Amino acid sequence: MPLTVLSDSEINSILYSLDRDDILVLQNNLAEALHEYSTGTQETTGCCQSNQPQRIAIPATNNQTTLFMPASTSTSRGIKIATLATAPEAPGNDSLPSVEPTTSNTSTTSSSISTSNPPKPASQMSNLSISSSNKTDPSITSSQTTSPIGSLTLLTSTGTPYAFLAASTLTAFRTALASTTIFTRRTNVHTVCVFGAGLQALWHIRLALLLRGADIHHIHIINRNFERARTLMETIYTSPSWSHLRNANAKLGFSIVSNEYGEYNRLLKDHVRKADVIFCCTPSTVPLFPAEYLTSTEGRKKGRYVCAIGSYRQHMIELHPDILRQAVAPEHKHHHHRHAERGGVIVVDSLEACMKEAGEAKQAGLSPQQLVEIGELLMVKKASMKEIEEGGEGEVGLKRWLQAGNVIYKSVGLGLMDICVGEDLVMLARERGFGTMVDGF
């Protein structure tokens, strides 16, 4: 069997060639693998949890960490080795960043760009008036890339190597593919907030537009550093591979919000409160916004899908623990305010991995009983929907919660995701003529 070698640029070319139907096929394949991970045994599937060793993290210099992530499916074995920047541990990580609401009469220049107004060229965008707040936090600086550098090696079930793939874009894509599984089923996705401006943010935005572009009206990119956010915006507005997505919906508009703006606090609260979907894609060590934006009476009036995928160590955190605590708290039936429905659990990619590594789960003091794996949840919903189609009642409450309630999804990443998506990419590469073939390897 020849060895297929795929560079990062070749993986990009494959992924940018995919349409909505292609994405749905890959998403279904990943959902099936995650279901087998959650419910299978060694006698029934190679994807079962028993066949997925915990990853090994080895600290390197300059706040780098190298991860070794072995995994298997029913048809492949493999390992991803990736090195990425890690935010340093700092005392007081349980405290909120200084983003409390303020009232200000300061006049600031808006960075909002909509499809009805052509984007400014870089020479004009650089002249935007920005009031620096000089705020810092112990997260990774915005100038330092947080994309993993490494590779994925795939072997057949008998141990023959058959593919070697670059890991950067693959990791961002497979994470977004899992995140948007629930997103695709949401009733309302008009307003999307994305924290971060790296590869993870890019692929969450692209898949959101591919899957639900006709329903999205606003995408707010929130990032500490304006220049990185502007670079992402320029990619979206100038790259030919984005033209069909940015032009498909006349109502679609984008905006950039940075804490370099004097009115950052007001804009942050406004965007988070109005959001139907929040994608958190940053390796932060402090909450990205105060808990009360979502936990107050006003914040709880609407249902949201909140996805936190950027932080993957115990000292890293994107969501304030109070947000998770409220999500799993028992529902009080006799309150006097209308609140969006809660499910009583946090959705995770892996219960074992999140209990061990997810800062949000650890700092909120969650128990395993307060987490449910996405693979198990989606297949329960699938069976419920089939029952409803056949005239039964199904899990009506589950359907209502997943589609319109407050759903929090936390992911720290699984090697199984890399293997599953990597298998599909190798198949697509061979079908479409991408990659380098090494015979007799």
Side-chain angles (χ1 to χ4, degrees):
M1 176 183 292
L3 179 77
T4 301
V5 180
L6 292 173
S7 67
D8 200 62
S9 63
E10 289 168 329
I11 291 173
N12 256 307
S13 296
I14 296 170
L15 296 179
Y16 274 95
S17 71
L18 302 180
D19 59 22
R20 185 176 188 274
D21 290 340
D22 294 326
I23 296 298
L24 289 174
V25 170
L26 296 183
Q27 200 170 66
N28 183 71
N29 292 345
L30 181 57
E32 292 284 351
L34 291 171
H35 171 61
E36 293 177 3
Y37 169 83
S38 297
T39 63
T41 65
Q42 287 183 317
E43 290 73 30
T44 60
T45 176
C47 295
C48 68
Q49 186 172 342
S50 300
N51 289 344
Q52 318 302 327
Q54 284 288 302
R55 64 188 177 197
I56 299 171
I58 299 180
T61 58
N62 299 321
N63 292 321
Q64 302 282 312
T65 298
T66 299
L67 301 177
F68 295 80
M69 304 172 66
S72 72
T73 66
S74 295
T75 54
S76 297
R77 307 286 184 269
I79 185 169
K80 184 173 80 172
I81 303 174
T83 300
L84 64 167
T86 303
E89 295 191 43
N93 282 349
D94 57 339
S95 61
L96 284 172
S98 53
V99 290
E100 291 303 315
T102 60
T103 57
S104 171
N105 294 321
T106 304
S107 175
T108 57
T109 303
S110 171
S111 66
S112 179
I113 304 173
S114 68
T115 52
S116 59
N117 296 303
K120 298 178 182 180
S123 59
Q124 295 182 34
M125 292 180 73
S126 63
N127 294 325
L128 288 173
S129 176
I130 300 173
S131 300
S132 175
S133 61
N134 296 320
K135 295 187 181 77
T136 60
D137 64 44
S139 303
I140 300 170
T141 58
S142 295
S143 60
Q144 184 177 7
T145 180
T146 57
S147 299
I149 300 172
S151 62
L152 171 67
T153 302
L154 295 177
L155 304 90
T156 65
S157 57
T158 58
T160 302
Y162 72 88
F164 188 72
L165 296 78
S168 294
T169 298
L170 168 65
T171 301
F173 174 78
R174 59 82 153 148
T175 304
L177 193 66
S179 299
T180 51
T181 303
I182 294 177
F183 164 84
T184 306
R185 294 158 168 80
R186 296 292 291 180
T187 300
N188 191 351
V189 296
H190 289 172
T191 301
V192 178
C193 273
V194 181
F195 284 87
L199 271 181
Q200 292 282 12
L202 180 149
W203 280 106
H204 278 79
I205 293 172
R206 185 170 180 87
L207 292 192
L209 291 174
L210 271 169
L211 294 166
R212 296 290 299 276
D215 303 313
I216 299 175
H217 297 169
H218 310 285
I219 295 180
H220 303 299
I221 300 171
I222 304 174
N223 196 58
R224 289 193 309 276
N225 180 274
F226 176 76
E227 288 302 318
R228 286 199 70 187
R230 186 182 71 168
T231 299
L232 174 58
M233 185 77 81
E234 286 181 345
T235 297
I236 294 171
Y237 268 104
T238 62
S239 172
S241 59
W242 285 81
S243 61
H244 64 297
L245 297 176
R246 63 177 180 260
N247 296 325
N249 181 359
K251 296 181 179 180
L252 177 63
F254 290 80
S255 72
I256 298 174
V257 178
S258 166
N259 67 353
E260 294 170 347
Y261 292 126
E263 298 245 340
Y264 173 74
N265 297 331
R266 179 184 63 80
L267 292 172
L268 176 67
K269 181 176 181 179
D270 184 64
H271 290 334
V272 170
R273 279 276 174 86
K274 292 180 179 178
D276 302 300
V277 179
I278 300 174
F279 290 126
C280 301
C281 307
T282 73
S284 182
T285 58
V286 293
L288 298 175
F289 51 87
E292 64 93 14
Y293 288 4
L294 300 186
T295 59
S296 66
T297 299
E298 185 66 27
R300 296 168 62 190
K301 285 183 178 180
K302 70 182 298 181
R304 298 177 185 83
Y305 174 49
V306 182
C307 169
I309 58 87
S311 297
Y312 53 91
R313 301 288 296 276
Q314 290 187 17
H315 71 285
M316 301 169 72
I317 188 169
E318 296 178 288
L319 300 176
H320 194 290
D322 285 349
I323 296 174
L324 280 74
R325 293 187 188 110
Q326 185 185 79
V328 301
E331 190 77 61
H332 295 290
K333 300 297 183 182
H334 301 292
H335 54 67
H336 301 285
H337 306 283
R338 182 182 177 185
H339 296 155
E341 187 166 356
R342 301 198 309 260
V345 292
I346 306 300
V347 185
V348 298
D349 52 355
S350 166
L351 190 153
E352 182 181 5
C354 283
M355 286 301 298
K356 179 181 178 181
E357 299 173 336
E360 286 89 352
K362 298 291 289 187
Q363 295 185 37
L366 300 186
S367 68
Q369 291 73 30
Q370 293 170 319
L371 308 180
V372 60
E373 290 179 342
I374 187 172
E376 180 180 1
L377 186 67
L378 291 175
M379 291 308 157
V380 170
K381 181 176 184 296
K382 185 176 181 180
S384 173
M385 292 297 293
K386 183 177 181 180
E387 183 180 342
I388 292 172
E389 291 171 0
E390 294 175 350
E393 293 185 0
E395 293 285 346
V396 178
L398 174 63
K399 174 187 174 184
R400 187 170 59 241
W401 170 59
L402 285 176
Q403 292 183 344
N406 278 311
V407 179
I408 298 175
Y409 170 65
K410 174 61 192 176
S411 170
V412 294
L414 280 173
L416 173 63
M417 295 177 177
D418 299 297
I419 304 296
C420 178
V421 175
E423 287 179 319
D424 286 339
L425 289 182
V426 172
M427 180 187 68
L428 288 169
R430 291 174 176 175
E431 290 176 354
R432 303 184 183 191
F434 289 98
T436 301
M437 299 293 179
V438 180
D439 292 320
F441 184 84

